[in-house]
Amino acid sequence: MKTNRVVVVQCRLSSTRLPKKALKALAGRPVLSWVLSSMKKVNADSYYVATDFDSYDYIKDLCSENGFECFAGDLNDVLKRFCDLLKTLDCKTVIRATADNPFLFYEAAEESAKDFEARNNSGMNVDYLTWTGLPHGSGVEIMKASSLLKAIDLTSDPYDHEHVGPALYNHKDIFNCLFVKAPFRFYHPELRTTIDTYSDFLRASQIVNYVLQNRAGGGDGGRETAENSQLQPFTTEEIVHSFTSTFVQHPVVLVPSVTKGHGTGHLHRCLSAASKNPFFVYIPADKSLEECDSLVEEYKKAGLKDFQIIEKLPDETYRPVIITDTFELTKNQIEEFRTNTALISVDEGSEYDSYCDYLLDIIPSFYLEREANLFEPDFMEKPSHKREKQSGKIEKSNVKSILVCIGGEDPENLTSPAVFSLAKCFPDAKITAIMSGNKSEYIEEAGIDNIEFIKPIVNLKERLFEFDLVVTHYGLTAFEAMYAGCAVILLPTSNLHKNLAKKYNFAYVADSNLTKESFDQAAQSDNVYPKFKEEEKNLDLGEFLTNLSHGKHLCCPVCQKIPSQPDKVVSRNISRTYRRCQTCGMLYMSFSTRTEKEYKKEYFFEDYKKQYGKTYQEDFDSIKEQGKRRLSHINSFFLGNVKDRNIFDIGCAYGPFMQAAAEEGMNSFGTDISEDAVKYVQQELHFPAAISAFPEIEIAAEFGLSQFDVVTMWYVIEHFKNLDSVLQKVSEITKKGGIFAFSTPSGEGVSMKTDAKKFFTNSPEDHFTIWEPSKAAKILKKYGFEVVKVVSTGHHPERFPEIQKANAKPGGMMWKMIDLKSRQMKLGDTFEIYCRKR
């Protein structure tokens, strides 16, 4: 059936931002192929790719394979190219797409073409139509062929000639052009699906990988190859849903060490994780060693895909989480990596660890004094093939096979001398040595036929059980050999490695000469069969790193900027990192893996009850009594004259403080983000309250007031990630001479002073700042407030070591003395601040 339509895909290979992007492979298939297969789903009489003469020979066969004819025309005058093509055709409607959009909504293209034709059939005489609000890269343009042929004679504007569509819609005095909001199904303006840059290509690779894995039933973690998956065009729903994928939303780049002298263990670990998860692995082209290339090829056989190996990092349009496994970060790497979403480091040993948002230690270290967020050796992949466990000294006569593995490059040149000394020490054993290059000349000279030199191999840990003895240096292979049940002897590649061998009970050769005698002595050590832990767990490093990738890097909530030098780390734990701002002194959460808490009804009921033994509403009266005490302080600043004064409670919850203020004769106003809480305040307590986040609330529009005599926040201020905008707004709505009062947990209370690590670990995950009474005045002064009173609250004698040690009970003499001490020294775990607007 004749449609009077032509589909024209615009394509050129001379892009400066990403040359030949139309030919770049997505799941083994060129970008252009994905585009053409999508547009082939749109009904038309003919299908063309309009390219330039230089690109023609590169793409003509690909066009033919996908059912498109290829037309060559002017490179820079794209409008002329289109019109030259149209002059050869008999058509009414042109459906235009571009070749850098592999995720075209072909359903939207078909429906918008029908929309265009329906409007024209009804007499509207539309020259141009496009649907707006589609993802950037998923839309098409519908035009009258006759209008386009007319437009080229009416415009000489270079922009019109370069982009086709503007020749019509930039001249609305002549042409009827419609920009129609797309139907709900297709309306996703927040998404970007085009390929204009290298970063776009990486995102596209993740999208394709996700959709194909989903089709194969594997989800994010499935590893069925794209070649075995269906390569049909992606539906609108598949494309949109791909953006919910972890690795499309939160790209992860693993950065292994590929520095000569660091061995290949770091690269092994990263490639292993990436072969099971769609992480990118960053190996700069100028840094790649021979061992890197061979290992990458081996891991591709185990599931690693071509797109996962990258030679440069994506830009700010697709910022990844950087996870380094580099042994020691360099200054240049810090400058390169710290502009990204977050910097996470595994087994980091450099002086730059303070730049890292998160530190994960897997291999036990000797000299690191810095605190890690988590130390967990069980993230080492254990060999599934194991020998029977043995202990004690090794019997030389039982050693039939020995492996020597000191890293691919062997920077200290220990492999050859170790091999020949071992041959003397264990004359009946077959010795296999892993080393780069051809070492056969050594074997020939020595006349030894039981020595074999081999290249580094993938998944070495699953081959270790074949060897009675593994000779290596301190590192991943040593622990894997231990877990495989092998005898292990470590070589002294450095004093540090010698100290580590001692600390973690490995047999080792102390003599750098590697003589037969030194190996004899090491073989007689009681630690030749090392044991690190009583209980072994198998934890999934890739899964853990995926969860970490959701973490957020946060700057100081007050200063709202990333300093040139990192703020000092004060505490790390499994889910968070805390720092002290070098500018304002605030303690703040600088990294968190937790999802943001929603303050719904459950927060005030189930969550509150778990912490306090009753729901918020059940605790209403006692909270109101606390409010009356707080109001007594506020009253003193107004000399008791608070009647008819306006008070605004931010984070009012179910309104107990508003009720207390009203009973004092004040006019109570409130706001909270919880809809249930605000409805209760409005309908049950009958106070004016707004459902709104602060500081976004429009005060005047909500309440008809622009300023208040008193503004309060009770255990709210610590929940703001942007405290600067909050305090600016508070200052703006507080009258001159008015009072701003708030309560918050204290960073100078007994819990912090007696066990800081526990304090930070127990700090709620939605508390972004930890205030300290001694530093509050400096911060508040910046916003025009003068602190007039600080009240230490939350006194808990049971948290003092003296009480715990003596097992003292409430009401006793010791308990009373400690309680008095806590109050006199202001060691309460919470405090209240009352300040006046200057």
Side-chain angles (χ1 to χ4, degrees):
M1 179 178 177
K2 191 169 179 63
T3 65
N4 289 317
R5 297 176 181 176
V6 60
V7 168
V8 182
V9 175
Q10 178 181 318
C11 178
R12 67 182 175 93
L13 300 181
S14 56
S15 168
T16 55
R17 284 187 290 264
L18 191 62
K20 295 187 177 180
K21 57 186 175 183
L23 298 181
K24 294 185 79 67
L26 290 174
R29 190 179 182 190
V31 169
L32 179 58
S33 180
W34 288 102
V35 175
L36 300 185
S37 63
S38 290
M39 292 308 294
K40 193 69 176 178
K41 303 279 280 188
V42 180
N43 289 318
D45 296 327
S46 54
Y47 301 84
Y48 278 86
V49 172
T51 189
D52 60 277
F53 293 106
D54 291 340
S55 302
Y56 179 82
D57 287 337
Y58 290 97
I59 67 172
K60 63 178 181 179
D61 292 340
L62 184 60
C63 295
S64 179
E65 290 168 8
N66 286 276
F68 276 68
E69 294 185 59
C70 193
F71 177 86
D74 194 287
L75 170 62
N76 297 314
D77 193 337
V78 184
L79 178 60
K80 182 178 184 302
R81 190 196 311 168
F82 263 67
C83 289
D84 287 347
L85 169 61
L86 293 179
K87 289 174 183 177
T88 70
L89 303 173
D90 178 20
C91 68
K92 289 184 179 180
T93 303
V94 181
I95 303 171
R96 174 186 174 272
T98 56
D100 54 2
N101 300 331
F103 308 110
L104 287 161
F105 284 7
Y106 62 82
E107 305 101 324
E110 175 66 31
E111 291 188 29
S112 60
K114 290 179 179 178
D115 183 12
F116 176 84
E117 292 164 341
R119 291 171 189 267
N120 278 306
N121 291 336
S122 67
M124 291 182 64
N125 192 29
V126 179
D127 298 293
Y128 172 97
L129 180 144
T130 190
W131 279 356
T132 63
L134 278 71
H136 183 65
S138 293
V140 299
E141 295 174 304
I142 318 296
M143 297 168 279
K144 275 185 180 178
S146 59
S147 299
L148 206 56
L149 291 170
K150 178 182 177 181
I152 193 170
D153 295 328
L154 298 177
T155 179
S156 59
D157 188 321
Y159 187 84
D160 291 350
H161 280 260
E162 183 182 354
H163 293 92
V164 184
L168 296 173
Y169 61 71
N170 279 350
H171 304 277
K172 293 180 181 177
D173 55 329
I174 302 173
F175 301 105
N176 183 18
C177 301
L178 299 181
F179 292 82
V180 181
K181 183 178 179 180
F184 178 78
R185 176 189 177 192
F186 306 116
Y187 192 79
H188 297 280
E190 75 284 0
L191 304 182
R192 179 180 176 87
T193 56
T194 191
I195 298 179
D196 193 41
T197 65
Y198 175 69
S199 297
D200 290 335
F201 177 72
L202 295 183
R203 181 191 292 107
S205 298
Q206 289 287 17
I207 291 172
V208 170
N209 183 67
Y210 174 78
V211 175
L212 294 181
Q213 298 297 345
N214 233 29
R215 286 180 174 181
D220 270 354
R223 305 308 302 174
E224 183 171 327
T225 62
E227 290 77 11
N228 294 329
S229 300
Q230 300 176 40
L231 291 178
Q232 294 300 311
F234 297 163
T235 66
T236 294
E237 285 69 31
E238 284 180 317
I239 296 167
V240 172
H241 190 259
S242 72
F243 280 86
T244 66
S245 160
T246 289
F247 297 105
V248 174
Q249 279 193 337
H250 306 283
V252 175
V253 174
L254 303 182
V255 184
S257 172
V258 289
T259 302
K260 188 175 179 63
H262 287 179
T264 55
H266 306 274
L267 181 59
H268 269 288
R269 183 155 58 186
C270 289
L271 293 175
S272 176
S275 68
K276 303 180 187 71
N277 304 272
F279 302 140
F280 296 111
V281 181
Y282 176 49
I283 305 177
D286 60 336
K287 296 291 182 66
S288 182
L289 302 173
E290 179 185 348
E291 292 79 8
C292 295
D293 297 334
S294 60
L295 281 178
V296 167
E297 290 307 313
E298 288 297 325
Y299 271 100
K300 284 181 179 178
K301 298 174 185 176
L304 188 72
K305 296 184 178 178
D306 289 338
F307 80 87
Q308 292 179 259
I309 303 300
I310 60 176
E311 294 182 353
K312 63 179 181 177
L313 297 175
D315 62 24
E316 65 278 358
T317 64
Y318 195 51
R319 281 184 173 165
V321 170
I322 299 291
I323 302 178
T324 68
D325 189 355
T326 59
F327 188 70
E328 290 183 332
L329 281 165
T330 66
K331 183 66 174 176
N332 287 340
Q333 287 176 321
I334 288 294
E335 294 302 318
E336 185 179 15
F337 300 153
R338 70 188 302 247
T339 59
N340 288 277
T341 306
L343 178 57
I344 297 166
S345 292
V346 179
D347 289 331
E348 175 53 39
S350 77
E351 61 184 289
Y352 302 112
D353 56 76
S354 61
Y355 287 87
C356 302
D357 294 292
Y358 195 97
L359 294 173
L360 170 63
D361 286 347
I362 298 176
I363 298 178
S365 63
F366 179 77
Y367 66 97
L368 293 180
E369 296 180 359
R370 55 99 174 126
E371 179 184 23
N373 291 80
L374 178 64
F375 169 53
E376 183 49 85
D378 282 318
F379 278 123
M380 280 187 271
E381 288 189 8
K382 314 291 191 304
S384 57
H385 297 97
K386 300 182 181 181
R387 303 165 66 90
E388 289 187 12
K389 288 187 177 181
Q390 298 186 52
S391 59
K393 297 178 175 61
I394 193 170
E395 291 290 337
K396 276 192 174 187
S397 59
N398 292 334
V399 178
K400 304 299 182 184
S401 59
I402 300 174
L403 175 69
V404 180
C405 177
I406 316 176
E409 320 90 53
D410 185 17
E412 301 297 323
N413 295 314
L414 297 178
T415 300
S416 294
V419 164
F420 296 129
S421 294
L422 285 165
K424 296 174 184 177
C425 189
F426 300 92
D428 298 325
K430 170 69 181 295
I431 301 174
T432 302
I434 294 178
M435 183 179 254
S436 300
N438 183 8
K439 300 297 177 181
S440 60
E441 64 271 18
Y442 293 120
I443 308 304
E444 292 172 0
E445 289 179 12
I448 303 174
D449 58 6
N450 65 331
I451 298 177
E452 178 186 17
F453 283 90
I454 64 172
K455 298 268 189 177
I457 59 175
V458 169
N459 212 14
L460 174 63
K461 71 177 185 300
E462 296 302 343
R463 296 279 304 278
L464 293 173
F465 80 101
E466 300 171 6
F467 300 95
D468 301 310
L469 171 64
V470 175
V471 179
T472 184
H473 60 78
Y474 184 89
L476 193 58
T477 301
F479 282 92
E480 289 173 342
M482 174 190 71
Y483 288 127
C486 306
V488 181
I489 294 177
L490 302 188
L491 300 187
T493 54
S494 68
N495 286 331
L496 170 61
H497 283 174
K498 187 187 299 183
N499 289 331
L500 287 164
K502 287 181 185 178
K503 182 173 181 179
Y504 295 106
N505 301 317
F506 282 94
Y508 65 95
V509 173
D511 181 4
S512 60
N513 292 325
L514 304 186
T515 62
K516 172 184 179 298
E517 291 71 27
S518 63
F519 278 108
D520 280 333
Q521 185 176 356
Q524 293 305 304
S525 167
D526 290 333
N527 296 326
V528 75
Y529 290 102
K531 189 175 184 181
F532 178 59
K533 295 177 68 176
E534 290 295 330
E535 181 183 356
E536 297 175 14
K537 296 179 290 183
N538 287 307
L539 302 180
D540 190 321
L541 178 61
E543 180 182 349
F544 184 76
L545 295 180
T546 298
N547 291 333
L548 279 186
S549 73
H550 293 206
K552 296 292 188 298
H553 171 90
L554 305 167
C555 59
C556 171
V558 177
C559 298
Q560 285 295 299
K561 63 181 181 181
I562 300 175
S564 57
Q565 297 295 319
D567 289 331
K568 182 181 178 181
V569 174
V570 294
S571 185
R572 296 182 184 270
N573 61 54
I574 190 172
S575 62
R576 282 160 283 160
T577 299
Y578 291 88
R579 298 178 187 267
R580 182 181 295 282
C581 178
Q582 57 196 279
T583 301
C584 71
M586 176 64 80
L587 289 173
Y588 68 97
M589 185 194 301
S590 65
F591 180 79
S592 174
T593 63
R594 302 298 189 190
T595 55
E596 293 191 21
K597 184 181 286 291
E598 294 186 10
Y599 300 97
K600 295 183 178 179
K601 190 172 183 179
E602 295 79 9
Y603 177 79
F604 296 100
F605 286 82
E606 288 87 348
D607 293 354
Y608 190 93
K609 189 170 185 177
K610 286 177 185 177
Q611 187 171 359
Y612 299 106
K614 59 181 75 173
T615 68
Y616 191 92
Q617 283 188 302
E618 289 171 343
D619 209 19
F620 187 96
D621 289 338
S622 62
I623 298 173
K624 188 177 79 170
E625 287 304 310
Q626 283 289 337
K628 289 183 177 180
R629 179 187 59 76
R630 291 165 180 158
L631 284 163
S632 68
H633 296 298
I634 293 171
N635 290 346
S636 68
F637 305 132
F638 292 106
L639 302 177
N641 184 22
V642 296
K643 187 175 175 59
D644 294 328
R645 290 188 181 271
N646 296 323
I647 186 168
F648 181 47
D649 190 26
I650 300 167
C652 64
Y654 285 80
F657 181 75
M658 296 176 71
Q659 180 70 48
E663 291 176 5
E664 292 289 323
M666 303 182 78
N667 302 316
S668 292
F669 300 83
T671 185
D672 203 285
I673 60 176
S674 168
E675 183 177 352
D676 291 309
V678 171
K679 283 184 176 178
Y680 181 86
V681 171
Q682 293 170 336
Q683 297 170 8
E684 301 297 326
L685 303 183
H686 306 294
F687 295 132
I691 305 168
S692 178
F694 192 86
E696 287 79 11
I697 184 173
E698 294 293 335
I699 300 292
E702 290 285 354
F703 305 120
L705 296 172
S706 59
Q707 290 188 313
F708 299 89
D709 298 289
V710 180
V711 177
T712 59
M713 291 184 193
W714 307 115
Y715 298 110
V716 172
I717 200 166
E718 62 275 6
H719 293 272
F720 293 107
K721 284 190 285 189
N722 187 339
L723 201 49
D724 178 55
S725 62
V726 167
L727 291 174
Q728 285 188 35
K729 183 79 169 185
V730 169
S731 181
E732 175 188 318
I733 65 175
T734 304
K735 289 181 179 179
K736 186 175 182 178
I739 297 298
F740 170 45
F742 65 90
S743 60
T744 188
S746 174
E748 295 175 340
V750 61
S751 292
M752 171 70 98
K753 290 185 178 297
T754 57
D755 192 339
K757 184 172 181 62
K758 183 178 179 181
F759 174 87
F760 283 109
T761 299
N762 291 341
S763 181
E765 62 197 39
D766 56 344
H767 286 195
F768 297 100
T769 50
I770 296 173
W771 287 74
E772 298 165 292
S774 65
K775 295 181 175 63
K778 176 186 174 183
I779 294 170
L780 292 165
K781 183 179 179 181
K782 174 183 174 182
Y783 300 94
F785 291 105
E786 177 187 9
V787 174
V788 292
K789 192 168 191 176
V790 177
V791 179
S792 179
T793 55
H795 296 280
H796 295 276
E798 72 275 11
R799 296 176 184 174
F800 281 75
E802 301 97 305
I803 293 290
Q804 295 170 359
K805 186 176 181 180
N807 197 26
K809 303 299 181 186
M813 179 62 69
M814 188 175 188
W815 187 280
K816 292 179 180 178
M817 290 176 61
I818 293 297
D819 185 57
L820 179 62
K821 172 186 173 182
S822 179
R823 296 175 189 278
Q824 288 179 337
M825 298 183 67
K826 299 182 178 179
L827 293 176
D829 277 337
T830 56
F831 70 103
E832 297 164 1
I833 282 196
Y834 301 85
C835 49
R836 191 185 301 277
K837 175 74 178 295
R838 293 177 298 179

